[in-house]
Amino acid sequence: MNTNEEKQRYSREELAEFEEIIQEKLTNARKEVAFIKETLSRRNDSGTDNTASPSKMLEDGADTAEKESLNQLASRQMKFIQQLENALIRIKNGTYGVCIVTGKLIPKERLRAVPHTQHSIEAKLQRND
């Protein structure tokens, strides 16, 4: 490869590094979702008391808000997992690390920080204008 030519794809070794980062993030995200679901399940099991005191009603309101918050967190984590799994597919088919807007390689530093991204900083800034 000519040094003047801009690199079009990451090497197999470079892709293996990103795959390792993604697998680690996937493992952690799946553990977090499992923990959230377990927490929600425990909350639902303990909510069988039928006392209607004002303090119980306040507790129920706080409990509902907390459940809603946990559900939102689980939903975000599930979306993150899907994005990571899609990144693994791009690694397998050789399109990983290529910006879908500019067609240029996304810098390694950005991919290490946001391994599921499909946009270079340049493309991301264009989108936010």
Side-chain angles (χ1 to χ4, degrees), residues 71-89:
N71 277 319
Q72 286 175 347
L73 185 59
S75 178
R76 277 196 301 270
Q77 281 299 92
M78 295 299 287
K79 184 178 177 189
F80 182 52
I81 288 168
Q82 186 62 57
Q83 291 171 329
L84 291 169
E85 288 172 344
N86 290 342
L88 287 177
I89 292 167

Side-chain angles (χ1 to χ4, degrees), residues 1-9 102-106:
M1 185 201 286
N2 199 337
T3 50
N4 293 345
E5 274 183 51
E6 205 172 314
K7 196 169 152 184
Q8 296 296 309
R9 301 261 188 253
T102 65
K104 296 177 185 171
L105 272 187
I106 300 167

Side-chain angles (χ1 to χ4, degrees), residues 49-117:
D49 187 8
N50 285 334
T51 356
S53 71
S55 66
K56 176 69 179 141
M57 290 167 70
L58 280 173
E59 279 178 35
D60 287 349
D63 199 38
T64 301
E66 193 170 349
K67 282 180 191 173
E68 203 172 293
S69 177
L70 285 170
N71 277 319
Q72 286 175 347
L73 185 59
S75 178
R76 277 196 301 270
Q77 281 299 92
M78 295 299 287
K79 184 178 177 189
F80 182 52
I81 288 168
Q82 186 62 57
Q83 291 171 329
L84 291 169
E85 288 172 344
N86 290 342
L88 287 177
I89 292 167
R90 292 192 301 277
I91 285 175
K92 300 275 184 277
N93 70 23
T95 60
Y96 181 81
V98 179
C99 177
I100 60 174
V101 175
T102 65
K104 296 177 185 171
L105 272 187
I106 300 167
K108 284 183 183 182
E109 300 74 36
R110 175 152 170 76
L111 290 171
R112 285 184 186 117
V114 189
H116 59 284
T117 190

